[in-house]
Amino acid sequence: MAIIFSAVTLIQKIVESNRGLRKQLTDILEKITSINIESEKAKANSVGFPANYQGLLNDQQRFFVRQAAYLAK
């Protein structure tokens, strides 16, 4: 009985872990999409944005892409 309980608990932990990873990956992809939209807005309307704004957005995007690739592994 204890072996069955341990197996069920292990399976639940694995499923919860996978759900957590999927949620993190979804959140990161949402952030990448937001950065892409913000980047296009900055390109279309350069007034009111700092000179290095596009570079900052690119840095954020690279970070999130690396994080997404890590989670996808």
Side-chain angles (χ1 to χ4, degrees):
M1 188 63 142
I3 294 173
I4 294 171
F5 182 73
S6 296
V8 170
T9 303
L10 178 64
I11 291 170
Q12 285 177 337
K13 285 183 181 181
I14 291 170
V15 169
E16 288 174 10
S17 176
N18 287 341
R19 281 186 191 147
L21 287 175
R22 283 191 205 117
K23 173 135 177 49
Q24 285 179 348
L25 186 56
T26 301
D27 291 344
I28 289 173
L29 293 175
E30 180 183 352
K31 289 176 184 178
I32 291 171
T33 302
S34 297
I35 290 171
N36 288 339
I37 292 170
E38 190 68 24
S39 176
E40 291 303 316
K41 285 180 186 177
K43 287 177 187 175
N45 183 13
S46 62
V47 178
F49 291 99
N52 63 346
Y53 190 66
Q54 191 64 40
L56 294 172
L57 290 175
N58 290 339
D59 288 344
Q60 278 187 325
Q61 186 177 26
R62 273 193 290 285
F63 171 78
F64 286 126
V65 167
R66 284 190 208 117
Q67 189 70 18
Y70 172 77
L71 288 174
K73 278 186 182 179

